[in-house]
Amino acid sequence: MKVLTQYGNPEGNKIAVTAALVGASVEFNHDWQQRAKELAKQTFSQQAPIFEAPFGFFTHSTPVLKVLAQIHALYPADPVVIALVDEFLETSKDDLDRPVKLWLDMVFGTVPTDAEKLKKAQADVKKFLFIVEQRLKKSPYIVGNSLTIADISLACALTWAFRVVFDEKYRKPLPALCAWYAKVSGLPQFVSVWGPVKLAKVALEAPAPQAKVEPPPKPVAKKEEEKKAQPKHVDEDDEEKPAAKAVNPLDLLPPTTFELDEWKKLITNTKDRKSVMPNFWEKLDKAGWSAWFIHYEKAEGEGEKMVPFENLLDGFVQRMESIRRYSFGVMGIYGETPSLEIKGCLLWRGQEILQGLLDHPQFEYCKRVKADWENDNDRKRIEDYWGNVNDNDTVDGLVVQVIRFWK
């Protein structure tokens, strides 16, 4: 049985965690994106499925959870308990899963920020969580006194939020929810899929909404122009002035001769990426750009299994969205289990660490060393990180396992 989505997708991870709890075997299929259109024809909704089994394709996680857990205490035979679990799964899908996904999509920059929609999504999430808080004050689990797929579904839906937007202030009025989440997310089967969950210290904010471009004014008829020839006097103090548009400090740096977009296109469209590195060194504006070696400092238990570690890498890269216009590089997983490492090399505008990375909730756990443009060893390491991206290649003496090009 195969999960047809990327690591870190809550819907796919709900299935993977449930499978681990009941002893079923599932694997994440890496070619699902290439097969999406073909697979969509196999479903009722004509949408790309997230799960493939001998008995069919599924576009939603809930029926898969029920199939996997039907002979297990996670989905008890008691019809009353089944009804309560089903009721929660249906309710949380609309009242929590959708608004929390919209909130996170705006934070990660995968959808444009809409202030009104964001505010509503945040309010919907908080309202639902306070309802759950009251229930968990009376019961150790969502339904009754034992773990069910209702708990797995909710914990997976909230994991990215706990990592990114539920900071200490947000969590403070929800002690029962937090205690419950710590209990569920600490299960070995949950950790085997998600990895250890580091709670957000500071909430990551959605980028500011893009300014709306007003259409040009319609031409005014000649007679109307004559009527308006004598404008009324407006006191300068009373006149409303447009709000100043926020300027990124990086846009105020001295002009650079290095064209980042051209470089991204060149290296990503070249099979032998090392062959174009002379072009990079020739055109590099050393004063306007800096390169940094990044090494994630693992918590205990991290890096022992590929699935949760790749999940962690994808989350790290997603949260870099705010610096995309000003940066390039490679982040990847290197080494062998159970001693995998997340490392990389990033190029960015200016000589200091970008604010978008300082705001990144995982970046504080990373060692970062600035490359010396004149050091031959540093230049070789940059070329290795950006050029050695295939199976059996090595970087810093470690085998390449997973690569995420940041472009």
Side-chain angles (χ1 to χ4, degrees):
M1 297 187 289
K2 298 177 180 179
V3 178
L4 307 174
T5 184
Q6 69 269 32
Y7 295 123
N9 183 308
E11 294 301 296
N13 282 12
K14 289 177 185 180
I15 295 170
V17 173
T18 302
L21 284 163
V22 302
S25 175
V26 298
E27 63 175 298
F28 281 81
N29 192 319
H30 289 278
D31 69 348
W32 65 276
Q33 288 178 309
Q34 288 73 28
R35 301 174 60 208
K37 290 184 179 179
E38 167 201 341
L39 295 175
K41 298 175 183 178
Q42 310 296 322
T43 67
F44 287 112
S45 61
Q46 298 291 287
Q47 296 176 351
I50 64 166
F51 191 71
E52 177 182 0
F55 45 83
F57 293 87
F58 297 85
T59 55
H60 302 286
S61 63
T62 300
V64 182
L65 300 184
K66 293 178 181 180
V67 169
L68 289 173
Q70 63 181 340
I71 55 174
H72 193 278
L74 290 175
Y75 197 50
D78 185 336
V80 173
V81 177
I82 288 177
L84 292 171
V85 170
D86 288 351
E87 169 68 10
F88 181 83
L89 293 174
E90 287 299 313
T91 303
S92 62
K93 181 172 62 178
D94 293 325
D95 294 357
L96 176 77
D97 291 16
R98 287 176 182 171
V100 81
K101 181 180 184 301
L102 180 60
W103 182 359
L104 291 169
D105 281 345
M106 290 187 187
V107 167
F108 290 144
T110 53
V111 300
T113 301
D114 182 307
E116 290 186 10
K117 290 181 179 179
L118 176 60
K119 185 177 180 179
K120 184 180 185 307
Q122 292 171 330
D124 288 345
V125 171
K126 181 168 284 190
K127 177 182 177 181
F128 188 86
L129 294 184
F130 272 92
I131 293 172
V132 174
E133 172 72 12
Q134 297 309 310
R135 174 173 294 191
L136 290 172
K137 286 181 177 179
K138 302 174 183 177
S139 174
Y141 293 98
I142 297 299
V143 176
N145 296 317
S146 61
L147 185 76
T148 67
I149 52 176
D151 299 282
I152 302 306
S153 178
L154 179 60
C156 288
L158 292 177
T159 291
W160 280 118
F162 269 105
R163 283 175 164 171
V164 179
V165 294
F166 292 175
D167 58 12
E168 293 176 359
K169 181 179 179 181
Y170 193 96
R171 299 193 300 268
K172 189 173 181 179
L174 299 166
L177 175 74
C178 293
W180 164 87
Y181 180 76
K183 179 169 54 181
V184 177
S185 65
L187 293 169
Q189 297 87 344
F190 194 98
V191 175
S192 71
V193 176
W194 281 103
V197 178
K198 293 178 180 176
L199 303 179
K201 293 182 179 179
V202 179
L204 198 61
E205 301 288 342
Q210 295 181 349
K212 294 182 179 180
V213 179
E214 297 293 337
K218 295 181 180 179
V220 182
K222 190 172 182 181
K223 288 184 178 180
E224 292 182 10
E225 287 182 352
E226 292 175 356
K227 290 180 181 179
K228 295 179 180 179
Q230 299 295 330
K232 295 181 180 179
H233 174 72
V234 179
D235 191 291
E236 290 185 1
D237 293 334
D238 295 335
E239 185 177 359
E240 290 187 7
K241 296 179 180 180
K245 185 178 180 181
V247 178
N248 192 311
L250 298 176
D251 294 329
L252 301 178
L253 292 173
T256 178
T257 56
F258 182 73
E259 294 290 342
L260 180 64
D261 288 340
E262 288 185 10
W263 168 245
K264 289 180 177 181
K265 291 176 183 176
L266 176 63
I267 191 170
T268 54
N269 292 325
T270 303
K271 187 173 182 180
D272 179 8
R273 293 187 168 94
K274 279 195 172 182
S275 68
V276 297
M277 286 304 298
N279 181 282
F280 172 78
W281 297 119
E282 178 186 348
K283 295 187 177 182
L284 174 65
D285 168 18
K286 296 178 182 178
W289 298 81
S290 58
W292 298 73
F293 301 111
I294 311 297
H295 188 180
Y296 174 72
E297 295 183 288
K298 300 178 293 184
E300 184 179 355
E302 291 182 332
E304 296 179 354
K305 295 182 179 181
M306 180 60 71
V307 171
F309 213 46
E310 188 169 354
N311 179 359
L312 189 65
L313 172 64
D314 286 337
F316 183 95
V317 173
Q318 280 182 327
R319 298 176 210 179
M320 291 166 50
E321 188 63 36
S322 64
I323 69 167
R324 186 181 293 277
R325 282 183 54 207
Y326 307 95
S327 60
F328 164 81
V330 165
M331 292 298 299
I333 296 177
Y334 302 86
E336 303 282 357
T337 55
S339 300
L340 298 168
E341 302 288 345
I342 291 179
K343 304 178 74 175
C345 179
L346 299 176
L347 171 79
W348 61 65
R349 190 77 165 92
Q351 299 298 319
E352 305 299 329
I353 296 175
L354 302 185
Q355 187 61 46
L357 289 175
L358 294 176
D359 294 337
H360 190 305
Q362 283 177 298
F363 195 70
E364 64 175 303
Y365 302 107
C366 292
K367 293 179 181 177
R368 50 266 198 179
V369 177
K370 189 176 182 179
D372 180 353
W373 290 132
E374 308 305 326
N375 183 286
D376 289 341
N377 184 56
D378 281 0
R379 288 164 68 101
K380 180 182 182 303
R381 289 184 71 199
I382 292 170
E383 293 191 3
D384 285 349
Y385 272 109
W386 295 354
N388 295 355
V389 294
N390 299 311
D391 292 344
N392 300 319
D393 284 347
T394 61
V395 176
D396 289 345
L398 300 175
V399 177
V400 174
Q401 297 287 355
V402 175
I403 290 296
R404 296 291 183 263
F405 252 98
W406 177 249
K407 55 187 173 67

